[in-house]
Amino acid sequence: MRMEHEVDTLLDEISKIDGVNKVAVINNITKKIERCINIHDRCDALVQAMSDVVRVNMKYSRLTEKHNEIEDVLITYSDEIHLLKPLFRTAKYFIYISISRGANIALTRLRLNETLERYLK
């Protein structure tokens, strides 16, 4: 129960970052939402697609010579930006964030990284 409370607190703090509309922790193995804010129940296709994007990028990073770790993945649409942030090296979990198109994405990423640093120590 304590872990769920900490995750809920983390998501609440992320949702308060300027420009953030939706946020969720997604289990990349089961392709299911573990916890979320402002996401309705009928988003299975979105979650599965975003899980596939994270998986493909993780696979690509393992296959390249540099073996770089993925910091995040940005997907830009005409009306919003999706940010996918693996939580650990294995990317069993990742954070999905929907950001309004007019937001300062650099500042949003900075605030997100600061928030995660406090919670994932």
Side-chain angles (χ1 to χ4, degrees):
M1 186 69 173
R2 177 169 158 66
M3 177 86 154
E4 289 176 354
H5 175 70
E6 289 178 12
V7 172
D8 288 342
T9 303
L10 170 63
L11 293 181
D12 186 52
E13 198 166 323
I14 291 171
S15 73
K16 292 176 182 169
I17 296 172
D18 189 42
V20 172
N21 299 320
K22 302 172 189 170
V23 62
V25 172
I26 297 175
N27 183 321
N28 204 23
I29 306 301
T30 63
K31 297 184 179 185
K32 301 282 183 197
I33 293 175
E34 296 288 331
R35 313 296 280 178
C36 66
I37 294 178
N38 295 332
I39 297 179
H40 51 75
D41 293 336
R42 297 180 305 271
C43 63
D44 289 339
L46 171 70
V47 170
Q48 289 184 7
M50 295 304 157
S51 289
D52 290 342
V53 168
V54 170
R55 286 176 183 214
V56 166
N57 278 279
M58 295 292 288
K59 183 176 182 177
Y60 174 75
S61 73
R62 284 192 307 269
L63 296 174
T64 62
E65 289 180 23
K66 294 181 181 180
H67 299 285
N68 288 335
E69 286 186 40
I70 296 172
E71 184 175 334
D72 57 40
V73 177
L74 286 172
I75 303 171
T76 306
Y77 294 101
S78 60
D79 61 343
E80 67 183 352
I81 298 167
H82 293 188
L83 178 74
L84 311 175
K85 178 97 173 161
L87 289 179
F88 304 104
R89 253 191 165 151
T90 62
K92 179 178 180 184
Y93 296 98
F94 68 92
I95 294 182
Y96 160 80
I97 303 172
S98 171
I99 304 165
S100 60
R101 180 65 187 211
N104 180 335
I105 191 66
L107 187 57
T108 301
R109 288 173 80 194
L110 177 67
R111 296 286 184 257
L112 171 64
N113 289 332
E114 290 172 348
T115 301
L116 288 174
E117 203 173 289
R118 283 196 309 274
Y119 279 88
L120 299 178
K121 283 185 176 180

